[in-house]
Amino acid sequence: MAPSKPYRIIISGGGTGGHIYPAIAIADALRHLHPDTEILFVGAQGRMEMQKVPEAGYKIEGLWISGLQRHLTLDNLAFPLKVISSVARATKLVKNFKPHAVVGVGGYASGPLVFAATRQGVPALLQEQNGYAGLTNKLLARYVQKICVAYPGLEAYFPAQKLVFTGNPVRRDILEARHLKAQGLKHFGLRPERKTLLIIGGSLGARTLNKSIQKGLDQLLEQGVQVIWQTGKFYYDTLYEATKHQQGELLRIMPFIKEMPLAYGAADVVISRAGALSISELCLAAKPSILVPSPNVAEDHQTKNARNLVQEGAALLVRDAQAPEELVPEALRLLQDAAQQQELSRNISRLARPQAAEHIANEILGLIK
């Protein structure tokens, strides 16, 4: 017999927007299905989830946990102590909150929490965003009942009988981007008769994208292209100072874009990294895109993500190493090719999975007995 409502769910993980925003989308879907659901997030102290989750309206607790560095550091020496401390704290959180189920979305905090919960008999589900399984999820797979994935072929990393193909959960408001052209242009103070280019390198920024856009910015502005440029917080101050002489009615430069549906709505073409979350949003927004995969990720999984779209005629790809020379010229070419924009938009929209968050939420509720 299912427990009496309200349901209590813990969602754990984070570290980057690619983990945090899918987690928030899952929480929103659970609340949409059962508005009285009690949800607790568990993240890593000092990581971005400690800010972004409360901004989304959810409570979060932090664990003293971090990843292993590739070279010898004091953090590495403290890692065993952090694991022991985090498992103890997670165990206490589970005992006090008494969840009906827990969800791990990857990231440092997911490991201790899911491990502690499953040791107490709490049913658990993992959500893997990429076509390459993260280390935390691979380690936790043996303890959970279900693993929701966004790409085929994950049987190489997880037990096949546990896999559920759901796609990646994305905020529901991204679905509205296709209808927000006029509203998006007005929000950013841009003109409808001009072409608009959106550059998004992730919440922390992307060095190659920023360097490439900075190098070709004069060329873009001379062609009358309107630019919405999310630099990431680490690069914003430097780039803002460097582009002061270029700032005007054509350039909107900012560290982070909170109003992403409006930004997608305003854009004719998007330049983006090829993380799983970015691709899922581009599919829902149905935007013609140029993907520049980051080479600094496990198993080069962003290149694999991008190639999947290129093979479907759903996006263009520029290699990271070639971006400083090729990215802006390719963007200018695509901005002038309305037929290819329409083709890319049509093909990428076919890959969208708008019900992913609801599908995962139902899988979570299905674990509760």
Side-chain angles (χ1 to χ4, degrees):
M1 179 180 294
S4 59
K5 300 177 190 175
Y7 297 121
R8 295 185 301 276
I9 311 292
I10 295 180
I11 302 176
S12 61
T16 67
H19 294 308
I20 297 164
Y21 295 119
I24 291 171
I26 293 169
D28 289 345
L30 285 165
R31 284 269 177 89
H32 180 72
L33 291 171
H34 296 286
D36 58 351
T37 300
E38 297 177 16
I39 297 172
L40 174 67
F41 280 78
V42 175
Q45 292 175 4
R47 302 292 289 185
M48 66 184 293
E49 59 263 29
M50 302 306 293
Q51 174 189 352
K52 298 300 181 183
V53 168
E55 286 178 356
Y58 295 99
K59 181 180 178 182
I60 186 168
E61 297 283 351
L63 302 180
W64 183 45
I65 189 68
S66 62
L68 281 168
Q69 306 301 312
R70 294 183 180 181
H71 50 279
L72 185 62
T73 66
L74 290 176
D75 276 346
N76 278 355
L77 295 176
F79 183 73
L81 181 59
K82 288 183 177 181
V83 171
I84 294 170
S85 169
S86 293
V87 170
R89 168 105 171 110
T91 299
K92 185 175 181 180
L93 286 171
V94 171
K95 285 183 177 178
N96 289 340
F97 190 72
K98 297 179 174 59
H100 296 115
V102 299
V103 181
V105 297
Y108 308 137
S110 186
L113 192 284
V114 173
F115 176 71
T118 53
R119 284 180 66 193
Q120 298 179 54
V122 180
L125 175 148
L126 300 179
Q127 196 263 325
E128 176 56 60
Q129 297 92 23
N130 290 293
Y132 170 80
L135 177 60
T136 301
N137 279 350
K138 283 194 285 189
L139 292 174
L140 293 173
R142 63 186 293 185
Y143 302 109
V144 307
Q145 284 73 41
K146 295 282 186 180
I147 305 169
C148 294
V149 298
Y151 293 93
L154 272 293
E155 296 85 354
Y157 309 105
F158 299 126
Q161 70 274 15
K162 295 185 179 183
L163 295 181
V164 183
F165 183 72
T166 59
N168 270 325
V170 175
R171 296 176 300 169
R172 297 174 67 88
D173 56 0
I174 298 294
L175 283 167
E176 300 301 315
R178 304 184 195 192
H179 313 295
L180 296 177
K181 179 77 171 179
Q183 191 175 337
L185 290 169
K186 182 178 179 181
H187 175 83
F188 290 100
L190 302 175
R191 292 162 58 179
E193 69 271 17
R194 294 184 181 274
K195 298 292 185 181
T196 302
L197 178 66
L198 170 64
I199 301 103
I200 45 175
S203 54
L204 302 180
R207 184 188 303 274
T208 299
L209 293 193
N210 287 335
K211 282 188 172 182
S212 302
I213 297 303
Q214 185 181 8
K215 181 177 180 180
L217 188 57
D218 277 335
Q219 193 178 1
L220 288 166
L221 301 181
E222 287 167 4
Q223 295 288 324
V225 175
Q226 300 177 134
V227 178
I228 304 172
W229 184 4
Q230 178 183 279
T231 64
K233 65 178 183 179
F234 293 138
Y235 303 99
Y236 175 73
D237 290 340
T238 300
L239 289 169
Y240 180 84
E241 290 298 321
T243 61
K244 267 188 174 179
H245 66 289
Q246 296 160 300
Q247 291 175 31
E249 66 173 8
L250 295 178
L251 177 61
R252 301 290 179 267
I253 181 170
M254 56 203 75
F256 183 75
I257 301 172
K258 289 185 178 180
E259 307 85 359
M260 279 308 301
L262 294 176
Y264 283 130
D268 295 292
V269 169
V270 180
I271 292 173
S272 175
R273 284 303 201 191
L277 175 63
S278 297
I279 286 179
S280 295
E281 289 188 350
L282 291 168
C283 290
L284 287 181
K287 285 296 166 178
S289 307
I290 303 171
L291 302 176
V292 186
S294 171
N296 306 310
V297 295
E299 298 293 313
D300 198 22
H301 68 255
Q302 286 203 9
T303 297
K304 296 173 184 175
N305 292 348
R307 281 178 174 166
N308 285 337
L309 267 67
V310 171
Q311 290 169 3
E312 298 292 331
L316 304 180
L317 186 154
V318 171
R319 286 280 192 175
D320 189 86
Q322 280 73 54
E325 301 300 327
E326 297 180 7
L327 184 57
V328 168
E330 182 72 345
L332 284 168
R333 186 198 63 75
L334 180 57
L335 283 163
Q336 298 304 318
D337 192 338
Q340 188 174 29
Q341 289 178 43
Q342 291 173 4
E343 180 183 4
L344 292 172
S345 177
R346 183 169 57 251
N347 290 340
I348 200 170
S349 69
R350 292 172 180 159
L351 304 177
R353 294 199 167 260
Q355 303 303 319
E358 287 78 4
H359 191 166
I360 294 168
N362 279 312
E363 291 291 337
I364 295 165
L365 297 174
L367 295 179
I368 301 172
K369 300 187 178 176

